[in-house]
């Protein structure tokens, strides 16, 4: 058997839940451990190799000093994969991007606010080119296995470009709007098997927007179901702040 591709895991600002999901995936798919050599993975081992083909990077970039490390990872890896919503879209850390940074810092760190460096949180792709993403907060185990398999076979990983509603309808769920709840399923990328509506909650958009989302229709639907403009903004702030601000600025491709 030839040398196995070396892979490494890194984290920036994150809860490390996506890396824990990777550990879980490796337990249910041990064949992956035969297919790759893990040279760095702080959640699971103490070694720290610097020679790797694929870098899986979790977390958003939330301070200027993170950028040098990410660029170094980019230089060393042939493939960089954004692991989870924080890395893919800036994620939950971008909630602060709509607020005045110094007041956020004071809220969190009090009179020690000036001790801590920070800047508006952003996805990896705002700093370096990335080769693939695994969406979700946290990532889906099956999707992680599918993405790794595709990369090892030299294929571009496939992601659905249709909305969560498609999967929700295929599961024959009762739409949560029928129960006077709200849901971002019509504008959110599928791939999670509509897990939140299936268990009775509206989608919060953790997998990011579909290409060309119809935001004005979405806002109208939310307004028809009693949400004010402020509540609608809050609804899209949990996971979608970075993408929404890019669209508002007219810079999103
Ligand atoms: S995407 Fe969610 S689970 Fe993953 S690191 Fe970020 S906050 Fe944690
Ligand atoms: S519950 Fe959400 S995802 Fe399901 S059909 Fe209704 S709007 Fe779409
Ligand atoms: S239903 Fe929405 S919030 Fe829930 S996992 Fe899927 S994309 Fe994320």
């Amino acid at each position: 058997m030839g040398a196995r591709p070396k892979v490494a895991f890194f984290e920036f600002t994150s809860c490390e839940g996506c890396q824990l999901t990777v550990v879980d995936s490796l337990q249910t798919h041990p064949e992956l451990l035969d297919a790759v050599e893990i040279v760095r993975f702080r959640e699971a081992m103490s070694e720290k190799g610097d020679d790797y083909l694929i870098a899986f990077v979790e977390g958003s970039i939330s301070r200027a000093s993170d950028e040098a490390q990410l660029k170094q990872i980019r230089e060393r890896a042939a493939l960089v994969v954004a692991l989870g919503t924080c890395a893919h879209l800036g994620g939950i850390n971008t909630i602060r991007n709509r607020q005045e940074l110094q007041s956020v810092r004071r809220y969190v760190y009090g009179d020690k606010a000036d001790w801590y460096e920070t800047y508006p949180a952003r996805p990896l792709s705002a700093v370096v080119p990335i080769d693939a993403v695994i969406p979700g907060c946290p990532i889906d185990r099956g999707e992680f296995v599918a993405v790794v398999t595709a990369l090892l076979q030299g294929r571009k990983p496939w992601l659905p470009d249709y909305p969560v509603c498609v999967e929700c309808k295929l599961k024959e769920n009762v739409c949560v709007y029928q129960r006077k709840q709200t849901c971002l399923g019509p504008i959110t990328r599928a791939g999670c098997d509509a897990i939140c509506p299936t268990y009775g909650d509206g989608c919060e958009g953790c997998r990011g927007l579909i290409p060309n989302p119809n935001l004005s229709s979405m806002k109208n639907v939310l307004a028809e179901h009693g949400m004010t403009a402020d509540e609608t903004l809050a609804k899209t702030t949990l996971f979608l702040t970075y993408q929404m601000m890019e669209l508002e600025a007219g810079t999103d491709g």
Side-chain angles (χ1 to χ4, degrees):
M1 186 169 108
R4 292 173 293 161
K6 292 179 179 169
V7 304
F9 292 83
F10 299 89
E11 65 282 325
F12 289 93
T13 305
S14 63
C15 78
E16 303 194 11
C18 287
Q19 289 187 87
L20 280 176
T21 306
V22 170
V23 173
D24 208 17
S25 307
L26 294 174
Q27 285 175 337
T28 50
H29 291 80
E31 71 278 8
L32 284 183
L33 290 170
D34 294 329
V36 299
E37 179 185 352
I38 300 176
V39 299
R40 179 189 284 248
F41 193 175
R42 195 175 60 79
E43 293 269 337
M45 60 195 271
S46 48
E47 291 82 355
K48 289 184 178 176
D50 285 328
D51 174 21
Y52 41 83
L53 182 79
I54 308 175
F56 292 93
V57 184
E58 180 196 72
S60 59
I61 302 304
S62 63
R63 49 190 184 169
S65 61
D66 288 340
E67 292 193 7
Q69 191 195 349
L70 179 59
K71 286 174 182 168
Q72 186 181 60
I73 293 167
R74 175 69 275 182
E75 279 167 19
R76 288 179 173 160
L79 296 169
V80 175
V81 182
L83 192 65
T85 307
C86 293
H88 173 206
L89 302 171
I92 211 160
N93 303 306
T94 61
I95 288 175
R96 67 175 189 242
N97 289 11
R98 287 195 189 272
Q99 300 173 47
E100 202 271 312
L101 205 54
Q102 186 59 10
S103 64
V104 171
R105 202 165 13 196
R106 264 195 231 105
Y107 182 83
V108 176
Y109 300 115
D111 61 2
K112 308 289 187 299
D114 291 337
W115 290 18
Y116 298 95
E117 178 198 359
T118 190
Y119 74 177
R122 59 203 67 187
L124 307 185
S125 60
V127 180
V128 297
I130 56 169
D131 301 289
V133 302
I134 306 178
C137 177
I139 59 167
D140 178 86
R141 291 177 192 83
E143 198 162 49
F144 172 75
V145 174
V147 168
V148 174
T149 303
L151 293 175
L152 293 178
Q153 292 174 344
R155 293 185 286 114
K156 188 173 170 54
W158 176 83
L159 284 181
D161 59 4
Y162 48 81
V164 172
C165 287
V166 172
E167 291 175 337
C168 194
K169 292 295 178 196
L170 287 170
K171 296 191 85 168
E172 302 185 356
N173 291 336
V174 173
C175 180
V176 300
Y177 281 99
Q178 303 294 326
R179 295 199 299 265
K180 302 192 185 314
Q181 294 169 257
T182 56
C183 178
L184 296 180
I187 56 169
T188 300
R189 184 188 296 277
C192 60
D193 216 12
I195 189 167
C196 298
T198 300
Y199 285 96
D201 286 324
C203 170
E204 299 287 347
C206 83
R207 292 176 57 86
L209 296 171
I210 51 170
N212 304 313
N214 191 336
L215 293 174
S216 57
S217 280
M218 187 77 254
K219 284 175 186 168
N220 288 341
V221 168
L222 292 171
E224 283 164 15
H225 286 78
M227 287 188 94
T228 64
D230 283 350
E231 286 169 338
T232 299
L233 185 64
K235 180 94 180 158
T236 54
T237 292
L238 185 59
F239 293 112
L240 300 174
T241 300
Y242 192 88
Q243 277 188 304
M244 295 295 282
M245 289 179 78
E246 290 241 297
L247 286 172
E248 288 160 19
T251 57
D252 192 70

